[in-house]
């Protein structure tokens, strides 16, 4: 059952703060996420050759888990979440994923029993629903996909997540052609439809197994836009276009919580502050501590309302300070220690604002995702919460308005190129119909013709 | 919430791109680069603008005026795309403009081919693929589009391509360059297998690799590997091969920047 959000979880933006969510989530071994403290969430990738066999992979994750847990107790961290993002072998062979979850959880239980450290294990299943040529969202692979969640839930994973891919075929085509309607159709319409389907099923599996249906991220689309946009000097995509895609992605990723997920949202969902404002679910975020995986232009800002603080991903190997999972979990833990101290001293909101302001005017993406502006995008979504298309369009237009306000204030300085790109996106959006059915019909006709790999049957159309 | 005063922001961050933005608009910069020939000019301009139908209209007019369709590929379409590539390399226009121009140019090439029995002189073939087990292909799509825009024939094997299929394509198409992209650490290991199988068969050609988790250290571990940090490096590597040969150490000296 999908119940859409039509109001805000928080009465005002200022009520949002790191380490605190309206609806905390209990998970794993003694952990409560969003219940007044922040927790590091460590993410890692096995070395390239580790995927050669099931046994090698399990061994690799045992080493990763032991290293991380050992470092956490060595520095006195009170809590930790480990996130295992599946390599394709683990989701295509659900028993591999289950075996890895079991191996990791066994080690975590030993540490919890011996030291009392609060901990939980998140498994993020790979979205394997595609073949060489096409997405296969509802095809044969769906059964395997769901079985991967089931196996992990049965064997030790405390939280289930995915980075789902619905709408990506249209988005990938559109983002490289400045096609605003296609971006909106890919993320806001097709992505949302797929999210509603998969998250109803994931929530059922979680409920049956007594684990947490955590949440999704629009990594496949909004992060693709963010990465193509790159740094200030990169010339691949206007940052103003990238943040419009991000605003739309909040409407799409929200669908997980409407279908039964409870949080914490996935770390790479930079849309999560917007989602928290509407839903009140706890969120994971990444920023300056995920420079091991990628660069962004809002490294501090993303910490503003996080409940889990993540490094996104790092390949497991040795560094001067230990293995990478030890180095990065330690960095995360000290950041959390700082946030938790601020909370205890009653200075949480001051620290939040310092984190936000240090990046707010760096780039239009950070400007819109600053919690005060993110809240406004949330309101635009909730206003027409029952209509996936309209709320996505609202979010995009509100995003444009916010950036314009920033430019007019003189504090957000953009190139003419970015300003022109913003004007184009806004003009495109304003010209779109308010009728969801009409938009769907026109988009189906257009993208069936233009995008060779678009198969409407993937969305039950 | 707390806020910064306008005058305080510059001490916290610098928008170098705003400070350095060129005065000239992209349209003005393009105008300076178009060929002056009155038949070629509208074709080049239509490619810059990404207007497929206008490109074909321009080609029709040029053919009607006596130009040979096969010559128009190099003398008009590639010239127009050259304008776009230069503006992109100079940081004046952005990637979506290049993609739309490439679509328009390729459409124009197909039109020219349909108007003649002559076959255009190939510049060279590049085989592109995404590693086995990996379905993330937007990077490869950008690479393929940029290579085509630069006049190379591209054999696009798609994504999640088995190692043996890559080897077969290299044997069959005899490319000057093979490219591989991957997002995941576990899938990029396939690059090493491809490298080993190519060498077993005595096939020694540059193998340009890049993408999400791929880094220079990894690519330098196998003999044929040349690391490409940006999608546009694929074109630069192909151009370097045409200009100075396929010596992998030389290519690494030029493209391994770290």
């Amino acid at each position: 059952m999908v119940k859409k959000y039509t109001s805000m979880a928080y009465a005002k933006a200022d009520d949002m703060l790191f380490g605190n969510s309206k609806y905390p989530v209990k998970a794993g071994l003694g952990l409560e996420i969003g219940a007044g403290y922040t927790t590091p969430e460590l993410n890692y990738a096995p070395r390239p050759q580790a995927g050669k066999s099931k046994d090698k992979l399990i061994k690799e994750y045992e080493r990763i888990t032991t290293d991380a847990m050992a470092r956490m107790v060595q520095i006195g961290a009170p809590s930790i979440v480990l996130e295992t993002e599946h390599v394709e072998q683990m989701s295509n062979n659900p028993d591999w994923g289950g075996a890895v979850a079991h191996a990791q959880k066994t080690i975590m239980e030993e540490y919890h029993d011996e030291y009392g450290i609060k901990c939980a294990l998140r498994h993020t299943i790979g979205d394997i629903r595609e073949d060489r040529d096409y997405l296969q969202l509802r095809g044969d692979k769906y059964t395997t996909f769901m079985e991967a969640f089931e196996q992990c839930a049965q064997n030790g994973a405390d939280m289930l997540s995915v980075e789902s891919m619905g709408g990506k075929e249209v988005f990938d085509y559109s983002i490289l052609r400045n096609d605003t309607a296609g971006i909106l159709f890919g993320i806001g319409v097709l992505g949302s439809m797929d999210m509603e389907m998969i998250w109803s099923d994931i929530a059922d599996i979680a409920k049956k197994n007594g684990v947490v249906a955590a949440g999704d991220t629009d990594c496949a689309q909004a992060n693709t836009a963010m990465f193509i946009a790159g740094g200030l000097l990169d010339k691949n995509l206007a940052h103003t276009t990238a943040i419009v895609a991000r605003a739309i992605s909040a409407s799409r990723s929200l669908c997980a919580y409407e279908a039964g997920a409870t949080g914490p949202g996935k770390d790479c969902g930079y849309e999560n502050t917007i989602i928290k404002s509407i839903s009140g679910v706890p969120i994971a975020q990444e920023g300056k501590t995920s420079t091991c995986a990628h660069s962004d232009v809002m490294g501090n800002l993303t910490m503003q309302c996080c409940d889990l603080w993540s490094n996104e991903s790092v390949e497991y190997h040795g560094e001067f300070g230990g293995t990478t999972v030890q180095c990065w979990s330690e960095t995360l833990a000290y950041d959390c220690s700082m946030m938790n101290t601020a909370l205890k001293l009653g200075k949480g909101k001051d620290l939040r604002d310092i984190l936000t302001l240090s990046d707010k005017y760096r780039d239009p993406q950070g400007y819109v995702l600053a919690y005060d502006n993110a809240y406004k995008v949330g309101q635009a979504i909730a206003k027409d919460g029952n209509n996936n298309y309209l709320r996505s369009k609202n979010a995009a237009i509100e995003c444009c308005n916010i950036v314009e306000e920033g430019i007019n204030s003189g504090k957000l300085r953009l190139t003419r190129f970015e300003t022109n790109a913003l004007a184009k996106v806004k003009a495109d959006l304003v010209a779109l119909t308010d009728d969801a059915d009409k938009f769907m019909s026109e988009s189906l006709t257009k993208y069936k013709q233009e995008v060779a790999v678009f198969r409407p049957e993937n969305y039950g159309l | 919430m707390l806020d910064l005063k306008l005058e305080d922001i510059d001490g916290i961050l610098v928008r170098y791109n705003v400070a350095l933005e060129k005065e000239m608009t992209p349209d003005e910069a393009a105008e300076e680069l178009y060929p002056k020939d009155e038949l070629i000019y509208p074709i080049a301009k239509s490619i810059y603008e990404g207007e497929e139908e206008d490109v074909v209209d321009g080609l029709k007019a040029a053919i009607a005026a006596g130009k040979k369709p096969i010559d128009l590929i190099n003398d008009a379409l590639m010239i127009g795309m050259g304008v776009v590539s230069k503006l992109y390399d100079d940081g004046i226009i952005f990637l979506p403009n290049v993609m739309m121009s490439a679509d328009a140019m390729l459409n124009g090439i197909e039109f020219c081919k349909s108007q003649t029995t002559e076959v255009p002189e190939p510049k060279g073939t590049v085989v592109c693929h995404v590693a086995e087990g990996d379905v993330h292909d937007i990077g490869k799509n950008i690479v393929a589009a940029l290579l085509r825009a630069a006049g190379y024939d591209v054999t696009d094997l798609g994504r999640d391509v088995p190692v043996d299929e890559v080897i077969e394509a290299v044997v069959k198409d005899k490319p000057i360059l093979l490219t591989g992209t991957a997002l995941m650490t576990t899938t990029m290991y396939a690059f090493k297998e491809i490298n080993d199988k190519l060498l077993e068969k005595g096939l020694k050609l540059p193998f340009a690799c890049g993408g999400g988790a791929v880094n220079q250290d990894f690519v330098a571990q196998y003999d044929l590997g040349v690391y490409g940090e940006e999608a546009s490096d694929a074109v630069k590597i192909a151009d370097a091969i045409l200009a100075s040969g396929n010596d992998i150490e030389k290519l690494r000296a030029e493209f391994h920047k770290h």
Side-chain angles (χ1 to χ4, degrees):
Chain A
M1 180 61 187
V2 174
K3 187 178 178 304
K4 310 299 276 186
Y5 288 103
T6 54
S7 59
M8 303 295 283
Y10 293 90
K12 56 186 188 301
D14 188 55
D15 293 345
M16 296 164 64
L17 179 59
F18 53 74
N20 289 272
S21 67
K22 193 101 176 186
Y23 305 107
V25 170
K26 290 183 179 170
L29 305 167
L31 197 63
E32 190 167 10
I33 300 162
Y37 60 94
T38 60
T39 292
E41 178 169 27
L42 177 72
N43 197 325
Y44 31 77
R47 285 169 286 197
Q49 65 273 28
K52 295 297 281 182
S53 74
K54 182 180 175 183
D55 287 345
K56 278 191 173 179
L57 209 51
I58 292 171
K59 278 280 175 215
E60 185 84 336
Y61 281 110
E62 284 177 342
R63 284 189 284 264
I64 287 169
T65 305
T66 303
D67 284 2
M69 295 305 294
R71 181 61 62 97
M72 289 297 90
V73 296
Q74 286 283 14
I75 64 161
S79 59
I80 178 80
V81 169
L82 299 186
E83 186 198 0
T84 300
E85 283 186 0
H86 281 203
V87 295
E88 59 90 14
Q89 297 93 324
M90 289 162 65
S91 298
N92 277 315
N93 306 287
D95 63 309
W96 288 37
V100 168
H102 176 74
Q104 291 189 278
K105 192 61 176 296
T106 301
I107 295 164
M108 294 170 79
E109 284 170 346
E110 288 168 4
Y111 274 88
H112 178 70
D113 290 346
E114 187 164 358
Y115 301 101
I117 184 170
K118 292 181 280 191
C119 55
L121 177 63
R122 186 202 299 256
H123 265 230
T124 297
I125 307 317
D127 193 345
I128 54 171
R129 299 172 299 155
E130 51 188 336
D131 55 29
R132 279 281 301 271
D133 299 318
Y134 301 101
L135 287 178
Q136 201 196 98
L137 301 180
R138 294 173 185 229
D140 300 340
K141 288 197 169 178
Y142 196 75
T143 309
T144 310
F145 182 52
M146 285 299 139
E147 179 62 18
F149 286 99
E150 186 89 42
Q151 288 275 337
C152 290
Q154 287 175 5
N155 286 287
D158 302 303
M159 298 186 278
L160 303 178
S161 280
V162 66
E163 300 182 355
S164 62
M165 308 264 276
K168 184 167 172 58
E169 73 285 53
V170 172
F171 170 82
D172 278 359
Y173 173 85
S174 303
I175 196 69
L176 295 179
R177 289 165 178 80
N178 281 337
D179 180 347
T180 309
I183 295 167
L184 185 60
F185 186 56
I187 302 175
V189 176
L190 298 177
S192 296
M193 292 171 75
D194 185 57
M195 289 276 291
E196 288 177 351
M197 176 182 77
I198 66 169
W199 275 99
S200 296
D201 290 340
I202 298 166
D204 285 347
I205 290 169
K207 192 173 178 187
K208 188 174 77 177
N209 290 283
V211 301
V212 176
D216 209 308
T217 157
D218 197 34
C219 187
Q221 301 175 102
N223 285 13
T224 297
M226 181 172 79
F227 297 146
I228 294 174
L232 298 179
L233 300 177
D234 285 325
K235 298 282 184 181
N236 289 324
L237 183 71
H239 291 205
T240 41
T241 305
I243 187 56
V244 170
R246 176 70 63 194
I248 297 168
S249 80
S251 168
R252 169 252 181 222
S253 297
L254 185 67
C255 293
Y257 311 102
E258 295 173 325
T262 59
K266 270 276 295 161
D267 53 357
C268 61
Y270 281 68
E271 63 272 24
N272 275 347
T273 303
I274 302 169
I275 287 171
K276 188 172 187 174
S277 75
I278 305 167
S279 66
V281 301
I283 58 172
Q285 291 282 249
E286 64 192 36
K288 67 188 171 77
T289 45
S290 59
T291 51
C292 50
H294 63 81
S295 173
D296 63 39
V297 282
M298 55 194 122
N300 290 327
L301 180 142
T302 46
M303 208 188 279
Q304 59 189 351
C305 296
C306 75
D307 299 290
L308 298 176
W309 182 232
S310 162
N311 67 314
E312 216 261 311
S313 190
V314 67
E315 186 188 91
Y316 180 61
H317 60 243
E319 297 284 1
F320 288 156
T323 57
T324 49
V325 293
Q326 294 178 309
C327 299
W328 288 96
S329 62
E330 183 169 338
T331 303
L332 293 167
Y334 282 120
D335 274 345
C336 289
S337 178
M338 176 181 66
M339 286 188 277
N340 293 339
T341 301
L343 290 171
K344 292 290 183 195
L345 294 174
K347 302 287 185 190
K349 289 189 175 180
D350 286 345
L351 178 58
R352 174 198 63 188
D353 286 0
I354 291 167
L355 292 166
T356 303
L357 288 169
S358 70
D359 294 328
K360 185 175 179 181
Y361 303 109
R362 193 180 300 278
D363 187 84
Q365 297 171 95
Y367 187 76
V368 173
L369 294 177
Y371 71 90
D372 56 327
N373 287 328
Y375 188 88
K376 292 180 194 167
V377 178
Q379 287 176 307
I381 291 170
K383 181 160 70 76
D384 288 301
N386 284 314
N387 185 323
N388 286 340
Y389 163 65
L390 210 48
R391 74 186 200 180
S392 299
K393 184 181 159 207
N394 290 351
I397 291 175
E398 182 64 19
C399 171
C400 295
N401 293 339
I402 289 167
V403 176
E404 285 175 351
E405 287 166 18
I407 296 168
N408 293 337
S409 76
K411 291 184 175 179
L412 182 64
R413 297 179 61 216
L414 302 183
T415 59
R416 282 195 312 277
F417 173 81
E418 285 169 334
T419 309
N420 291 342
L422 178 72
K424 181 208 177 289
V425 171
K426 188 170 180 187
D428 290 346
L429 289 165
V430 169
L432 290 174
T433 177
D434 280 341
D435 183 338
D437 292 338
K438 186 162 182 275
F439 181 74
M440 172 68 88
S441 171
E442 289 172 356
S443 297
L444 276 175
T445 304
K446 176 174 159 68
Y447 295 107
K448 271 196 287 191
Q449 193 176 10
E450 291 187 12
V451 184
V453 293
F454 174 45
R455 294 285 165 100
E457 57 267 33
N458 269 319
Y459 306 92
L461 296 169
Chain B
M1 70 182 293
L2 302 174
D3 203 356
L4 292 166
K5 291 182 202 149
L6 182 59
E7 60 269 28
D8 290 336
I9 294 174
D10 281 350
I12 294 169
L13 57 95
V14 182
R15 289 288 310 226
Y16 292 105
N17 52 341
V18 176
L20 297 177
E21 189 173 30
K22 294 178 174 64
E23 282 302 313
M24 193 180 278
T25 67
D27 289 356
E28 289 166 351
E31 200 64 46
E32 290 202 345
L33 296 171
Y34 294 138
K36 305 300 173 210
D37 184 310
E38 62 182 19
L39 289 171
I40 306 299
Y41 171 88
I43 300 171
K45 188 173 184 194
S46 302
I47 285 180
Y48 165 76
E49 291 169 345
E51 296 292 344
E52 296 183 13
E53 290 175 8
D54 291 351
V55 169
V56 172
D57 287 347
L59 291 168
K60 283 178 181 170
I63 292 167
K67 299 269 187 191
K68 287 173 70 180
I70 203 72
D71 292 342
L72 286 170
I73 293 177
N74 281 331
D75 296 346
L77 296 171
M78 295 308 297
I79 297 288
M81 200 63 217
V83 170
V84 174
S85 298
K86 174 156 179 35
L87 294 174
Y88 177 62
D89 286 343
D90 290 349
I92 294 171
I93 61 170
F94 281 42
L95 184 62
N97 305 84
V98 182
M99 297 296 287
M100 289 186 283
S101 294
D103 287 349
M105 185 202 69
L106 292 171
N107 194 52
I109 290 176
E110 289 309 308
F111 176 77
C112 288
K113 284 182 181 171
S114 73
Q115 301 299 306
T116 178
T117 53
E118 292 182 79
V119 179
E121 186 72 26
K123 189 173 178 184
T125 298
V126 180
V127 170
C128 299
H129 86 289
V130 179
E132 185 167 7
D134 207 319
V135 294
H136 302 88
D137 63 358
I138 191 168
K140 183 269 297 167
N141 292 342
I142 296 170
V143 166
L146 294 178
L147 283 164
R148 286 191 176 113
Y152 292 97
D153 284 341
V154 173
T155 302
D156 185 349
L157 299 177
R159 59 195 191 185
D160 186 13
V161 186
V163 169
D164 289 339
E165 201 173 308
V166 177
I167 307 298
E168 283 166 23
V170 171
V171 170
K172 178 170 164 285
D173 291 347
K174 300 182 177 52
I176 60 165
L177 174 69
L178 169 65
T179 77
T181 54
L183 186 69
M184 325 276 282
T185 55
T186 47
T187 55
M188 69 189 194
Y189 197 65
F191 294 156
K192 191 169 180 325
E193 292 180 36
I194 288 169
N195 173 85
D196 294 349
K197 288 202 173 185
L198 287 172
L199 289 177
E200 269 174 32
K201 285 185 174 289
L203 298 164
K204 197 162 184 294
L205 80 165
F207 181 17
C209 301
V214 182
N215 59 53
Q216 182 180 302
D217 288 346
F218 178 76
V219 176
Q221 287 173 22
Y222 41 91
D223 295 347
L224 303 176
V226 180
Y227 177 59
E229 190 158 77
E230 305 285 341
S232 55
D233 283 348
V235 177
K236 292 173 186 157
I237 293 169
D239 288 347
I241 291 168
L242 286 190
S244 319
N246 65 359
D247 185 295
I248 287 161
E249 283 311 315
K250 269 193 192 169
L251 291 169
R252 285 184 176 181
E254 185 173 351
F255 292 97
H256 286 202
K257 298 164 187 161
H258 305 295

